[in-house]
Amino acid sequence: MVLSSAQAAGQGPTSSSAAAGTAFEPGGDPLSPNRNLTPITSRLDAMGRLEVGGCLLSELVRRYGTPLYVLDEATLRATCRAYRESLERFYPGPSLALYASKANSSLAITALVAAEGLGLDAVSAGELLTALDGGMPPERIVLHGNNKSAEELALAVARGVTVVLDNWHDLELLEELAPEAGGPVRLMLRFTPGIECHTHEYIRTGHLDSKFGFDPDQLEPVLRHLVGCAWARLDGLHAHIGSQIFELDPHRDLAGVMADALGLARSLGHPCGDLNVGGGLGIRYVAGDDPPSIQAWVRTIAEAVAAACRERGLELPRLLCEPGRSLVATAGVTLYTVGSRKAIPGMRTYLSVDGGMSDNPRPITYQSLYTAVLADQPMGTETMESVTIAGKHCESGDVLLKDISLPPARSGEVLAVFATGAYNASMGSNYNRIPRPAAVLVHDGQADLVQRREQPEDLLRYDVLPARLTSVS
Ligand SMILES: *Cc1c(COP(=O)(O)O)cnc(C)c1O
């Protein structure tokens, strides 16, 4: 049975491992990594053990311990290039892809993405500081958020970062900060485009139940209001329709909606040179997933925006997009050590690993599916068994993969879970006071630590014990 991760979501114990169903194929399409299950540098060594970026995964575990996030530099760079080159190839005007850093925010990823010529979208002071310290030029950063604090806005304004105006509250806060900006504050305006995506269908409505952006009927009032704001400069418009989307039609329709808004904004005198269509391209988590390629996604949007502008007699804007998941997910592999085993006769066998919902909250949050193998036996063996991979947290729902097929695994063996580069580390927690994993970047046989492993003592750093509680009576 081959299910897509979207179809299977929320439908109980359906899951997939590489060995169940289709044959495991390391690597895959180097031009559009989001269509692969594994990083593009995945190979088997002479003994059939899995390597990524020229590094044997089980050897990384000996050096760095588990759980361990492994990031493949070649996959990350290939994905950045796929976005950049597709935009150049299919869009007749200027363009820029901005990495939606909420998917996985770190100094190392920022530096790589900046070196590949991309920009970045941040949604908090933390992501913004990571971007700036990681070397992303401020003029290539935008700050998003439906409830930005005055401090976050002040940081953006002081550093020359473009602010995406999300609501009237943003406007009021910015107006107070503007005198310190030393020039017009650069803004984009986010509105709800009335296109709602589900993974296998989408609907268009006038008003959407979304906390993000200006409602469509507020678009004209806010554009008119901004005409009178000498402190502001409206550089562009933004909309984002959803995430893990496999269809191209919603993005094609978005182009028309945004071109209408662009025409309105320009007719009121706003420069509006940029059109930012957000992110949302899906990736392959399990064998049954079949997302479009980056090239097809960019081409659809580029051609639709160009056509929509031509029809309306609008000068071509610079085309911006904001890929998050599709830029980093496939580059990431999480390694765990198998520990205890509990076989419930007639029910299922649980194998527990040394991480779980704190390093990957997606299964418990969204019933997300993943693919996993034993790092040293990725092709499986003659005898396979069905097991459920449980995390170590005090929560029955802390299950990473249900009913997957693996070679009989002893404690101490290394489990590799694929496509964990997006929304794993960034959504992680310290639940049960479990420290966060280390992360390494692998490239050409070299591994560089990019995130140090948190230690249990680190978790006490911000605790305060009032003196009156320490006196022993
Ligand atoms: C989450 C988000 C993105 C990235 O979405 P992906 O599905 O990860 O590509 C881009 N832009 C905005 C405004 C977002 O909220």
Side-chain angles (χ1 to χ4, degrees), residues 100 102-103 121 144 190 212 238 240 242-244 278-281 322-326 423:
K102 70 178 189 221
D121 112 34
H144 275 288
R190 177 173 187 169
F212 296 110
H238 172 277
H240 169 72
S243 203
Q244 184 63 358
L281 174 61
E322 297 172 331
R325 185 192 313 272
S326 59
Y423 304 114

Side-chain angles (χ1 to χ4, degrees), residues 272-297:
C272 266
D274 289 346
L275 206 61
N276 184 340
V277 298
L281 174 61
I283 72 132
R284 185 176 220 187
Y285 284 106
V286 294
D289 287 337
D290 190 21
S293 66
I294 293 167
Q295 290 77 11
W297 188 83

Side-chain angles (χ1 to χ4, degrees), residues 128-129 132-133 136-139 141 153-162:
L128 192 49
L129 286 173
L132 292 164
D133 284 9
M136 184 59 74
E139 63 275 14
I141 304 177
L153 289 167
L155 176 63
V157 168
R159 302 293 288 267
V161 165
T162 297

Side-chain angles (χ1 to χ4, degrees), residues 16-347:
S16 163
S17 81
T22 59
F24 176 59
E25 278 177 52
D29 183 356
L31 294 180
S32 192
N34 70 311
R35 294 182 41 77
N36 306 331
L37 283 173
T38 70
I40 61 174
T41 61
S42 306
R43 306 264 181 282
L44 302 183
D45 77 355
M47 295 171 68
R49 302 173 301 182
L50 190 58
E51 293 179 354
V52 172
C55 296
L56 187 64
L57 295 181
S58 50
E59 178 57 30
L60 291 176
V61 167
R62 274 186 282 280
R63 272 172 64 194
Y64 296 99
T66 50
L68 183 68
Y69 293 125
V70 179
L71 269 173
D72 181 42
E73 183 173 330
T75 303
L76 200 52
R77 288 188 185 273
T79 315
C80 290
R81 281 178 209 149
Y83 272 104
R84 206 187 56 221
E85 290 171 5
S86 303
L87 282 165
E88 284 166 8
R89 178 165 163 210
F90 296 117
Y91 190 65
S95 58
L96 181 66
L98 309 169
Y99 167 48
S101 68
K102 70 178 189 221
N104 195 339
S105 171
S106 72
L107 293 175
I109 294 176
T110 302
L112 273 172
V113 165
E116 288 295 334
L118 274 65
L120 182 145
D121 112 34
V123 298
S124 66
E127 286 183 6
L128 192 49
L129 286 173
T130 306
L132 292 164
D133 284 9
M136 184 59 74
E139 63 275 14
R140 278 196 252 149
I141 304 177
V142 301
L143 178 69
H144 275 288
N146 64 301
N147 192 22
K148 305 173 192 79
S149 68
E151 292 75 21
E152 286 167 334
L153 289 167
L155 176 63
V157 168
R159 302 293 288 267
V161 165
T162 297
V163 174
V164 182
L165 202 62
D166 193 273
N167 51 57
W168 292 101
H169 183 62
D170 272 352
L171 245 174
E172 286 159 21
L173 292 177
L174 280 169
E175 202 147 11
E176 287 171 27
L177 290 166
E180 289 144 53
V185 176
R186 299 204 319 228
L187 300 179
M188 297 197 82
L189 191 146
R190 177 173 187 169
F191 70 103
T192 313
I195 296 171
E196 189 178 5
C197 291
H198 302 287
T199 308
H200 291 279
E201 75 207 64
Y202 75 103
I203 51 171
R204 294 208 40 190
T205 56
H207 300 264
L208 275 190
D209 184 7
S210 165
K211 68 173 183 171
F212 296 110
F214 285 90
D215 203 68
D217 68 8
Q218 292 290 295
L219 187 60
E220 186 163 346
V222 69
L223 286 171
R224 290 192 182 279
H225 177 87
L226 283 169
V227 172
C229 296
W231 56 270
R233 188 192 134 101
L234 186 63
D235 279 338
L237 300 177
H238 172 277
H240 169 72
I241 56 179
S243 203
Q244 184 63 358
I245 300 168
F246 284 17
E247 282 68 40
L248 294 173
D249 284 348
H251 279 98
R252 197 175 286 125
D253 285 4
L254 177 65
V257 174
M258 293 197 78
D260 283 340
L262 188 69
L264 175 64
R266 287 189 183 163
S267 72
L268 293 171
H270 293 297
C272 266
D274 289 346
L275 206 61
N276 184 340
V277 298
L281 174 61
I283 72 132
R284 185 176 220 187
Y285 284 106
V286 294
D289 287 337
D290 190 21
S293 66
I294 293 167
Q295 290 77 11
W297 188 83
V298 169
R299 180 177 191 164
T300 299
I301 288 167
E303 291 180 351
V305 167
C309 290
R310 213 179 304 119
E311 282 161 20
R312 291 161 181 79
L314 295 168
E315 196 181 316
L316 274 191
R318 180 170 70 147
L319 179 59
L320 310 183
C321 62
E322 297 172 331
R325 185 192 313 272
S326 59
L327 206 97
V328 284
T330 315
V333 178
T334 305
L335 304 178
Y336 301 96
T337 301
V338 173
S340 63
R341 166 188 290 264
K342 176 177 180 179
I344 309 171
M347 293 284 288

